[in-house]
Every structure is written in structure tokens, then in C-alpha cells.
Amino acid sequence: MTPMMAQYLEIKAGHPQALLFYRMGDFYEMFFDDAVAAAAALDIALTKRGQHDGADIPMCGVPVHAATGYLQTLTRKGFVVAICDQLEDPAEAKKRGAKSVVKRGVVRLVTPGTLTEDTLLDARRHNYLAASALVRDEGALAWADMSTGEVTVSDAPPVMLGPLLARLAPSEVLCLEPQAAMLRELTEAVVTTMAGASFDSGNAVDRLCGLYKVQTLDAFGRFGRAELSALGALADYLDLTQKGKLPLLRAPRREASGTAMQIDAATRRNLEISQSLSGGRCGSLIAAIDRSVTAAGARLLDRRIAAPSCDLATIRARHDAVARLVDDPALREDLRAALRQVPDMDRALGRLALDRGGPRDLAALRDGLAAAAGIAARMDGTADMPSTLAGAAQDLTGHGDLRGLLDAALVAEPPHLARDGGFIAQGHDTDLDEARTLRDEGRGVIAAMQADYSTEAGITALKIKHNNVLGYFIETPATHAAKMMAPPLSERFIHRQTTANAVRFTTVDLSDLERRILNAGGRALEIEKRHFTALRDAAVSHGGGVGATARGLAEIDLTAGLADLAASADWCRPQMDDSRAFDVTAGRHPVVEAALRRNGGQGFVANDCALTRETGAAICLLTGPNMAGKSTWLRQNALIALLAQAGAFVPAASAHLGLVSQLFSRVGAADDLARGRSTFMVEMVETAAILNQADDRALVILDEIGRGTATYDGLSIAWATLEHLHDANRCRALFATHYHELTALADRLPGASNATVAVKEWNGDVIFLHEVRAGAADRSYGVQVAKLAGLPDTVVARARDVLETLEKNDREGGKTRPIIDDLPLFAVPQQAARSLAQTPDGLRARLEATHPDSLTPLDALALVYELKALAKPE
């Protein structure tokens, strides 16, 4: 075994669960099983290098300069990658012996939850690493975004864990082995198990105090044992994966339960809040309303929409801020124009703290702080500034020293990497300027020295030349040898070599210049690296203030974006209070309306919704045909409640809303084959979750409960569900159904009312008016909708016959036995036979006389015209 392979196996033994990226020159190489797995995952060539125990060693590799893209692929596929870099210069290794191996070590573990590189992250979404802890009956979830430094912890009993994970959508979740299977059921994130010591709540206190360099955690608040356990696991995992280079984390913030609207995973999926049912961002609520012009503002919007507030004062303060910018278009546009120049300071600062940043990250802080100062100046003195905007503006100033340092030190457009050099401004360091001059203008410096020496010696033929043996030297013709070797010139010019036609000299100044020219490039880079380290340390030391400024800019950006949306889309400010009101006038679906506007289609038909009832349930039972807009109406009212409590205006003419504590949605149909659940089973599981959890401040939307089973079974389930919502949950609910029998419950249940979606019949077809009106539908128009969908005419006609027979039997109180003789199984062939029998005799005879194999293309075309003529009715 070679020394290099022995070193590889030793390092690999310390990281058995990770793919080891082993640095060899300009490549990261992988060997053995790592190479086989990585080659398959990355679709790269698998080769071999040497042998081990008599077998070929599989090998593959990726270039160091392109490693980021490969890391992205591997982390998305759930791999953990250990980055093993060279820890010394190869020249140092050679000093220990010709066959000495360069020292290497793992400098970082790359996992889905610990990414910081821009190319690996979505700039408009957080990348959360979460830790779930369960101590006796107490549960907690802690989460952190390493790229921005945000750290939060919350109570998370088992019943609340699913909704909380759905809200955060973390990339990676840490837990103990017994929890792993349950967590894999709740989240699509990578689940990483850790040893019990990592979750020890006693060790967690010491670990957190060391992380934040404090003696006690009292200044951060009081945490339960489960919360400490989860926070401690996060800290331990970050220390493990970052190899001691911890990110610049903010103080942990404890989120009290009940401060945010509870929305479970099924509801988020059904309402398409952060992603559409197709899986992408396009078509989701967040895509339709995101007018943010900064990455931090977009991430803040994502947080607000994912967790709408249940604190009335907070909601009203956010509405005040949006209203102020809606009413002042000039201020709004000025702020948005300035915000477009703001880089992502949070993530730039995070990379600098981890020593993964570059000059462009320093430039991002410089440019962001400059833009913040301009925005603060624009807002300064503006009258009637709401508390939210005023507080954000106060956080934008106070960085004069750091701004001045970065402005003076950095060029306007620095390179991406510090090792490239060229990022320190001219004039900032005289030694650096001199080194650059020698590096870039060496010939000019030599020419100037040559002129000085020629004048001093009085020899116009004196030249400064260079070769690989002597380096730089002074050369004069042999005829001037006596003069150059006699005082006083001999005291300055040192003789080096005599040739047949010339004499060569040097001077102390020339030797010193030669050394400086040869070392100028390396010296310039070393000086710049020292400056980069000093600037990075200065930026990190100001991290708290810079982070506050970044948060202030994000708040202003979010507010200005929501104001721009409200002004351009004609949204209104909702009236929010602690009542059980739910009155929406002329409400619209924000995503559907935006799509119609974008595609130039017809305008969205607005509809009212009234669910106000101070005591007991308030349920609206909606009937009407498919495609009429029932599901859209249900969803738009749920989204209006969500937007209002997130601090946004809402798509309506007016809205009076009482606080909603929970939002539940059971809309659409989908199976879950991976878990062995049919479509109906999924529907029942989601309905059960709603009935078991919804409180009297919840808003529930249900669509077509019971449709996945037999008619009477489905009707019975829908009937009982509606009664339970009314009598037990006592919540506000919208209930869409095709079971028209349920409309009778409105007369028996005091909190229930009927509504229907209006349609109009015309010549056997149905025209959708998309208007929600009081009353109940007596038909579902399913056959007409089937015709619109393109079912064959024979099927539609047969469906009408069967429907008429069924309705006749129902009116007469008879049984369905008589229609068995007319089942489509027997009727369709008869219909086809009738169609064939009705074929004109001439057409049939001509077809029977035709021999297709003998037709030329021209004959075939003529035959088509002939057959068309024969098919015309006489």
C-alpha cells in the first residue's frame, strides 16, 4: 500500500458515513465504494488506480474549481460529503523527504442543512437545519439557517411537530434513532441521527455558553429541557460539520406556541402556498404576491406567509406600514429603487464568518451599508412614519467606521476570490502600490534606472539587460571598461563579467530591484491577503449591527413590495379584530386573478363570503356543478385570511376578519401509494386530522368529502362530518359538496347556510357564471361538464339516458333494477351497430370495392373526395 493510500484510508475511517473528497492537486478524488456511489450519482466516469488486497481500486474525481456544482447534486440526493484538503504546501512536504505525503485533513462536512454557498442555495428561501428533541413528554424543535445566522426554538409536542416541519420545510432534521422513522413520515428532509450525548440537555448549556461566549443563557430567556436539548444538538452538529469554524449565529429566539396560525402539511399543499401541486414555485401564492426586490425581503415574505401572526397588535402594525406606503407612491418608488441596489448582506456576512467569503462579500457589505444610509436619509423626517418602518429605519445607520474602511480599501468591482488579488484599491497601501508597480511596470522601472546610470556614468551606450544566468546586469562596451572600473564609478558599479566586446556590472540598487521584481507578484498577493483578513475580521466584529441593518432593509423591502402589490392589484386593507367575524366583499383568488391578467383572459368574477357568527359554528354549504368555481371560492377565502394575518392587504373590495387560530383545507384528490393509502384513505386521514384538531377559532374548507366511496357511504360520512364541525368543533367552515341532500341541514342546524354557484343552460349546454349566491343547487350538471371535457358523443348521449332513468326511478320511488338491461356494456355495441346500419348504401358499396394496396397517392386523394360526396345526406 502506498503512503498516500494509507493516509486516505486513515482519514476515511474517521468519516465512514460520508463521501470523502480527497484533494490531490487540482482534483478531489474518491476511491473504493465512495467512487462507485459518486460516479453513479454524478454520472461521471469510474476508473481505477492501483490495487488493494489484490483487487483494483475504483476511482473517480471532480475538478476543484467545479466542485460546487457536484456538491449541489450530491447534497440534493442526500449524501454527506467530507472535504479533505491539503493542509500544507507540497514544498513543505518535500523537505521531510522525497516520498513524504502532504498533510491532509477534513476541513468541513457538507450536508443539506449546512450549506452557505450562493450557488448551492435558493436566494429567496431559507435553508433550515432543524433538531427535534423529546424529553419525557416534552417535545421541542430548534432550527437555524447557517447562511443567515437565524436561530429559533419552539415547543413541539408530537401533535404539533408535523405542522411545524411543514411550515419550515427544513433541508435536514437531526434526531435520535428512535424518532427517525416517525420524522421520515412527517418530512421530505434528510433525517440525520445523532448519538444521545448530542441531545443531552445538561451538556447543552455548556455547549451553548461556549458557542455564544457567555457565562449563562439567562439573557436569552428561559428554555425548557427539551428546548435546550434541541439547541444543544444543533450546536454540536455545527461544530462537528464545520470543524470548529462556527457561523455567526444570532442569539436563540424562543417562539411561544400559539403566536402563529397553525397550518398543517395537507393544507399547505392544497392551498399551494409555497409551491404549486406540480412541485414548482410558479403557480403558488408566494410567486403571485412576491414583489420583493432583495433576497432578504423575499425570505422575510416567505417566513411571514408560512407563519401568519396571531398577535393582533403585530398584524395591525404591519398593516399600518403597508398603508403608509400605499398612500405615498413617491416614497414607495424611491425606496424600491434604492433597495434594488442592496446585495444579500446576511449571507455575505455568514460566509465571511466561516472564512468562506471573498472580496465580493466585503463589497456586498460596503454597497449594502451605503444603500442603507441613503434609504435612512430618504425616510428621515418623513411625517407619520408607522412604528414598523420607523424601527427599521433606525437600524440602518451607525456604520460609518466600517463603511469608511471598506470604501477606502476596496475597488469598485472586486474579484470573486481573494487568491486572485486585485481587490485592494490603489493608494490604500504604499507597499502594495510599489509591489504592483514592479509587477506590472517592471520594464519601465528598469528603463528609468538605466537612464539614471547612463547619465551618472556619462556613457550613452550603457544598457541594463537580463539573462537566465546573471539575471539583471549593466552592460557597457569594452572600450569603457577602464572608466567603469576606476574610481569613482568603481565604488558604485560592481564588476561581474567581461566578454570579448562588453563589460558587465551590477549595483546594490539593481540587485535589490531585481529581487523585488521577481517577488513583486507574490508579495502583492500576500499584502492583499493580509488586508482581506483584516477587513473580514472588522466586518465580522460589526456583525451584530450589520445583521440588524440587513433585517431593517428586509422589513422595508417587504412592506414596500406588499404596498406595490396592493396599489397595482387594487387590494384593500382588512379590518382585523378579536371577534369571530368573516365578512369578505368582492373577494378574489390572488393566483387565479394574476394568471388571468397575465394571459389577457376575462376578468376574475369576484364573490362575497359571510361567515360571521359570534357564538357557535358558522358554516356555509356550497353546491353547484363542477368547473363552476367552487374550489376556487373555497381557496380564495382561506388565502384571504392567511394574507391578512401575514400583514398584507387582501384581494377584495372590503374584508372584516376575526383572528383565525388554525387553517385547515381538504381539497382535491390524490393517493399516497408509498404509504399504502388510496385516494379515499388519504381523504379520510386528512378529514380526521381536521375534526380532531380544529378549535372554535379555526377556519376550515372542505371540498367533496365522501366522494371516493359508494354514494350512500359518502353521503353518510359527509353528513356526519358537517354535523361534527357544527356541534363539536364550532368553527367557521366552507363546505362544498355534490350531495344535495345535505342542503336540508341548513334548516336544522342554526349555524349552517346554503350557497350555490350560478349557471345558465343554453341549448343543452351549461354556461358557468362563477357567481356565488344564496340558495341550493338541485343539479350538478356532470353530464354537461363531461361533454365540455371531450367525452365521445355516444358516451354523453348514453349518460343522459342513464341519468334520466335514474332520476325517474328516484322520483317514482322505484328500484334501479330496470336499468340493468340498458347498461352501457350492452348499449354501446348496439349504438355502434345502429351507426353502421345507417351508413349510406353507396358509400358502403364503394368501400367494399376499394383495394387499398393498389391505390396510388393521387388515387387515394380522389377516393377521399368521392367518399365525402357519397356521405352527404340526400
Side-chain angles (χ1 to χ4, degrees):
M1 182 186 300
T2 64
M4 183 277 293
M5 189 54 66
Q7 183 192 57
Y8 171 86
L9 291 173
E10 181 183 357
I11 297 172
K12 174 63 182 175
H15 302 86
Q17 304 303 320
L19 295 180
L20 185 64
F21 270 33
Y22 184 80
R23 178 76 177 267
M24 295 180 66
D26 293 331
F27 278 80
Y28 284 121
E29 304 288 4
M30 286 153 281
F31 302 97
F32 298 103
D33 291 342
D34 284 4
V36 175
L42 299 174
D43 194 22
I44 58 178
L46 181 66
T47 61
K48 58 186 178 181
R49 178 189 178 116
Q51 290 191 330
H52 180 66
D53 291 339
D56 291 335
I57 300 175
M59 183 185 82
C60 69
V62 299
V64 171
H65 71 272
T68 300
Y70 293 105
L71 287 174
Q72 183 179 46
T73 301
L74 291 171
T75 53
R76 286 181 176 177
K77 292 185 176 183
F79 288 98
V80 174
V81 181
I83 305 296
C84 178
D85 266 331
Q86 296 174 177
L87 303 181
E88 65 177 352
D89 192 284
E92 292 296 320
K94 287 183 179 179
K95 294 178 181 179
R96 298 193 300 270
K99 295 185 178 181
S100 294
V101 179
V102 176
K103 289 182 180 178
R104 294 179 176 88
V106 173
V107 297
R108 174 190 177 193
L109 291 178
V110 181
T111 73
T114 59
L115 304 176
T116 56
E117 292 80 357
D118 270 345
T119 52
L120 301 180
L121 297 171
D122 183 345
R124 306 184 80 79
R125 296 196 64 186
H126 280 284
N127 185 59
Y128 286 125
L129 170 68
S132 174
L134 191 61
V135 178
R136 295 188 179 90
D137 296 329
E138 181 185 350
L141 187 75
W143 61 94
D145 184 342
M146 207 176 85
S147 66
T148 63
E150 176 189 341
V151 182
T152 312
V153 65
S154 176
D155 288 336
V159 71
M160 297 298 299
L161 188 56
L164 189 52
L165 288 171
R167 161 191 155 188
L168 298 171
S171 298
E172 186 175 5
V173 182
L174 312 176
C175 68
L176 294 172
E177 183 61 40
Q179 273 190 289
M182 180 265 290
L183 285 170
R184 291 188 177 101
E185 290 284 321
L186 295 177
T187 179
E188 296 179 359
V190 173
V191 176
T192 301
T193 58
M194 300 181 69
S198 298
F199 282 89
D200 184 89
S201 58
N203 293 338
V205 175
D206 295 335
R207 199 176 292 135
L208 292 168
C209 286
L211 174 64
Y212 289 104
K213 297 179 175 59
V214 294
Q215 295 294 322
T216 175
L217 298 178
D218 291 346
F220 302 147
R222 297 184 63 83
F223 301 103
R225 289 192 62 191
E227 292 171 332
L228 287 172
S229 175
L231 286 170
L234 276 184
D236 189 46
Y237 192 67
L238 290 178
D239 185 56
L240 172 70
T241 57
Q242 306 311 303
K243 300 301 177 181
K245 291 183 178 179
L246 292 176
L248 194 65
L249 298 176
R250 301 176 199 161
R253 180 179 63 88
R254 186 179 186 278
E255 182 180 288
S257 58
T259 57
M261 182 190 292
Q262 179 187 328
I263 311 173
D264 63 13
T267 301
R268 292 180 189 277
R269 181 176 62 253
N270 293 334
L271 295 181
E272 301 178 283
I273 295 174
S274 60
Q275 64 180 27
S276 65
L277 293 177
S278 63
R281 192 173 190 266
C282 182
S284 66
L285 173 67
I286 197 76
I289 67 171
D290 188 359
R291 299 287 181 93
S292 306
V293 295
T294 70
R299 292 195 296 269
L300 180 59
L301 174 65
D302 190 58
R303 292 203 303 275
R304 296 272 172 88
I305 292 298
S309 176
C310 286
D311 183 76
L312 198 56
T314 299
I315 296 170
R316 287 173 173 168
R318 292 171 181 171
H319 287 161
D320 289 342
V322 175
R324 178 66 180 81
L325 295 186
V326 168
D327 295 338
D328 194 340
L331 175 60
R332 181 176 75 241
E333 290 307 315
D334 287 348
L335 292 177
R336 285 171 60 78
L339 285 163
R340 288 187 176 93
Q341 311 305 315
V342 174
D344 196 342
M345 292 198 294
D346 265 337
R347 286 187 168 168
L349 187 62
R351 286 189 293 273
L352 290 168
L354 284 166
D355 199 15
R356 292 179 200 150
R360 287 186 187 173
D361 292 313
L362 292 172
L365 299 185
R366 175 197 63 192
D367 298 342
L369 294 176
I375 291 170
R378 176 65 178 86
M379 297 177 70
D380 187 33
T382 304
D384 303 323
M385 192 62 68
S387 59
T388 299
L389 290 175
Q394 289 178 357
D395 291 331
L396 303 186
T397 56
H399 307 290
D401 292 344
L402 182 59
R403 275 186 60 204
L405 177 61
L406 296 175
D407 272 332
L410 297 173
V411 297
E413 297 290 339
H416 181 62
L417 300 173
R419 68 167 180 256
D420 293 335
F423 54 87
I424 297 297
Q426 188 77 16
H428 183 67
D429 185 308
T430 54
D431 290 340
L432 176 60
D433 293 343
E434 180 184 354
R436 285 174 171 171
T437 300
L438 288 173
R439 181 194 65 194
D440 302 332
E441 304 174 14
R443 290 185 179 180
V445 175
I446 291 294
M449 180 175 281
Q450 175 180 297
D452 291 342
Y453 287 165
S454 178
T455 301
E456 181 181 347
I459 303 172
T460 56
L462 183 148
K463 303 293 183 184
I464 296 180
K465 296 183 177 182
H466 181 274
N467 65 32
N468 292 332
V469 177
L470 298 179
Y472 285 100
F473 56 87
I474 302 163
E475 183 178 275
T476 64
T479 54
H480 297 286
K483 181 179 180 181
M484 292 291 293
M485 294 182 181
L489 294 180
S490 61
E491 297 173 0
R492 181 168 178 78
F493 295 93
I494 303 167
H495 179 256
R496 294 196 65 184
Q497 189 180 50
T498 300
T499 66
N501 299 314
V503 184
R504 293 170 177 172
F505 302 87
T506 187
T507 67
V508 174
D509 291 339
L510 180 59
S511 297
D512 182 59
L513 178 61
E514 178 181 22
R515 178 182 54 78
R516 287 185 290 136
I517 288 175
L518 293 176
N519 297 329
R523 182 165 173 263
L525 188 55
E526 287 302 317
I527 293 172
E528 289 206 75
K529 286 182 178 179
R530 289 202 302 271
H531 281 294
F532 175 78
T533 300
L535 293 172
R536 182 197 64 208
D537 292 345
V540 172
S541 68
H542 287 77
V546 173
T549 295
R551 293 191 291 277
L553 290 170
E555 186 71 55
I556 295 169
D557 182 30
L558 171 61
T559 304
L562 292 176
D564 183 71
L565 174 66
S568 62
D570 193 25
W571 289 16
C572 75
R573 175 175 181 166
Q575 177 187 344
M576 299 295 302
D577 55 35
D578 200 28
S579 69
R580 286 170 47 85
F582 198 98
D583 286 311
V584 176
T585 303
R588 290 113 58 197
H589 193 296
V591 181
V592 177
E593 183 181 37
L596 290 173
R597 187 184 300 113
R598 184 171 56 252
N599 297 329
Q602 62 182 6
F604 189 91
V605 178
N607 283 294
D608 300 345
C609 180
L611 281 179
T612 300
R613 193 163 181 261
E614 283 306 315
T615 58
I619 301 175
C620 179
L621 186 64
L622 181 67
T623 53
N626 289 308
M627 293 295 295
K630 299 195 303 298
S631 294
T632 299
W633 186 69
L634 263 62
R635 286 184 171 103
Q636 77 185 36
N637 286 295
L639 293 179
I640 284 172
L642 185 152
L643 287 167
Q645 291 187 211
F649 281 21
V650 298
S654 66
H656 177 199
L657 306 175
L659 284 176
V660 172
S661 61
Q662 302 165 293
L663 185 60
F664 292 103
S665 169
R666 165 78 279 272
V667 179
D671 55 29
D672 190 351
L673 298 180
R675 299 183 186 179
R677 293 176 178 176
S678 66
T679 301
F680 180 66
M681 186 62 178
V682 170
E683 176 187 327
M684 290 298 98
V685 168
E686 293 178 1
T687 304
I690 294 171
L691 299 181
N692 289 325
Q693 296 179 42
D695 60 28
D696 62 345
R697 302 305 296 260
L699 174 63
V700 176
I701 64 171
L702 294 171
D703 189 16
E704 308 299 344
I705 292 298
R707 65 179 169 184
T709 187
T711 302
Y712 287 141
D713 286 354
L715 173 60
S716 302
I717 293 171
W719 190 297
T721 297
L722 182 59
E723 288 182 335
H724 193 280
L725 287 171
H726 185 279
D727 298 335
N729 301 109
R730 302 171 64 82
C731 59
R732 291 165 285 183
L734 302 175
F735 194 111
T737 185
H738 283 290
Y739 294 129
H740 302 127
E741 296 86 347
L742 294 180
T743 58
L745 287 174
D747 297 329
R748 191 174 68 82
L749 302 177
S753 61
N754 286 322
T756 185
V757 185
V759 297
K760 185 176 182 180
E761 287 191 84
W762 180 259
N763 292 334
D765 293 328
V766 61
I767 301 173
F768 302 118
L769 302 180
H770 303 297
E771 295 176 4
V772 178
R773 301 172 180 173
D778 59 353
R779 303 177 59 187
S780 288
Y781 300 94
V783 175
Q784 289 89 336
V785 174
K787 180 180 179 182
L788 290 175
L791 262 66
D793 291 341
T794 55
V795 174
V796 173
R798 180 59 180 158
R800 291 186 192 277
D801 293 342
V802 173
L803 178 62
E804 289 175 1
T805 302
L806 289 171
E807 289 178 340
K808 179 180 178 182
N809 275 300
D810 188 58
R811 287 193 301 270
E812 295 175 355
K815 299 180 179 179
T816 59
R817 179 73 180 179
I819 70 165
I820 291 179
D821 295 336
D822 295 324
L823 279 174
L825 177 65
F826 304 102
V828 169
Q830 295 170 8
Q831 180 74 22
R834 285 198 300 271
S835 299
L836 184 61
Q838 293 169 0
T839 303
D841 291 340
L843 177 60
R844 184 191 306 164
R846 184 68 180 87
L847 283 171
E848 290 175 351
T850 298
H851 301 286
D853 292 340
S854 65
L855 293 176
T856 67
L858 187 59
D859 292 340
L861 180 61
L863 177 63
V864 170
Y865 283 110
E866 183 181 348
L867 294 175
K868 186 175 180 181
L870 290 172
K872 289 182 179 179
E874 298 179 357

